[in-house]
Amino acid sequence: MSDTKKTGAGEIEPSKGKLGIMMPGMGAVATTFVAGVEAVRNGIAKPIGSLTQMGTVRLGKRTDNRSPKINEFVPLAGLNDLVFTGWDIFEDNMFEAATKAGVLEKSLLEQVKPLLSSIKPRKAVFDKNYVKRLDGPNVKTGKNKMELAEQLRQDIRDFKKESGADRLVMMWCGSTETFIPRGPTHESVAKLEKAMHDNDESIAPSMCYAYAALQEGVPFANGAPNLTVDIPAMWDLSKKNDAPIAGKDFKTGQTLMKTILAPGFKARMLGVAGWYSTNILGNRDGEVLDDPGSFKTKEESKLSVLEHILQPEKYPDLYGNIFHKVRINYYPPRGDNKEGWDNIDIFGWLGYPMQIKVDFLCRDSILAAPIVLDLCLFLDLAKRSPQLRGLGIQEWLSFYLKSPMTPDGLYPEHDLFIQSMKLKNTLRHLMGEDLITHLGLEYYD
């Protein structure tokens, strides 16, 4: 759809022309995403897992029988409008990187080789102090972090001109950086910029990308648990430059299961005594997370989910003494096929114990790729929407993220089903449709 939509919330600008998607990190997730989009465009495969491509949204009463596809309801960019670029510390083009990642079969990659081979990585902003298990030659140099960010801003302008893109989105598909706590340098744009000039260690490479994107008015989403845009300075930049932001950390395997199961336990008032989670994975992500600093960043993201869903302070008898442990182990033979194993000790009526065991043999990048697509298309929609673009944080996109960003003082919503309702009600609101409450009393008048 490309016509301007007049809604109760103002005019949504049309999705005319090309949408450029820029990805720091051209590893397994980014290459699986781009290869998948090209496969779908060529009729080779279906966009399974993508809400924007396969999902519907109910409008009005159940008896109205109005449930259009989401991409026919809101004016999203079409798959044929997408163009791509990326940055990486390795010099491999996307076809070479996808082959090494080993996620997709060679026979599929050969069918999309022309596009993948044409996408060569731009030199990355990288510092081994923030991702200790990786190193590569394709790296920018500069006297300080501000100068590196300015080089990224030039990359953004160059890509827009070279590709003919009308609009841009940046999606962090890079590695998990070592844990950085929010500090004084993150509290205002002025302090952030001074810290960048001073090469302050509290400014990670991902922040240089986010700063560059937001200064260029480009929406930014963070697919890793890094601090990146989850600081007041970035919130302010996002609002000032009408560049929507979302994050953190793609919700793919084990945490996806937690946000499905935990709301069910809570809905039925079943207690949880313990939840032990362990993961084995062998891709670049697994190698990076083998470093304690990077693992700490990921652990913070994964541990917070249960606490926010189960609310132990409100239900101390059920969840006040829960033991929650998360482990991630690097196991090279598994490659991108991650295994997430959960042992859940629950208890029911009169305190009698029960157990649930989940063994999710998932494919990390296969689950992440449609999230990248949806976030890109929805962030572009937000940029074109007068109601959304000046908000900064797009909390309605929490559905896709392990650690949803919120303003200070507002707790995040982790329940997958509430997140889904929030997302679809936002779309209804944008298009001037009634919100769905599921009360349903009107059917029995």
Side-chain angles (χ1 to χ4, degrees), residues 28-74:
V29 171
T31 57
T32 302
F33 158 62
V34 175
V37 168
E38 184 70 348
V40 173
R41 292 197 289 210
N42 292 339
I44 298 167
K46 299 286 185 187
I48 294 166
S50 168
L51 199 63
T52 61
Q53 305 306 304
M54 303 194 83
T56 62
V57 56
R58 189 190 114 199
L59 307 176
K61 296 181 179 180
R62 279 180 277 164
T63 48
D64 291 346
N65 292 318
R66 286 198 301 149
S67 293
K69 289 184 69 176
I70 286 172
N71 62 5
E72 294 169 355
F73 175 56
V74 291

Side-chain angles (χ1 to χ4, degrees), residues 79 81 93 142 147 150 162 220 321 324 345 370 410:
L79 295 191
D81 299 330
N93 65 44
E147 187 174 289
E150 290 298 330
E162 294 159 6
F220 183 97
N321 198 30
H324 186 199
D345 284 283
L410 180 63

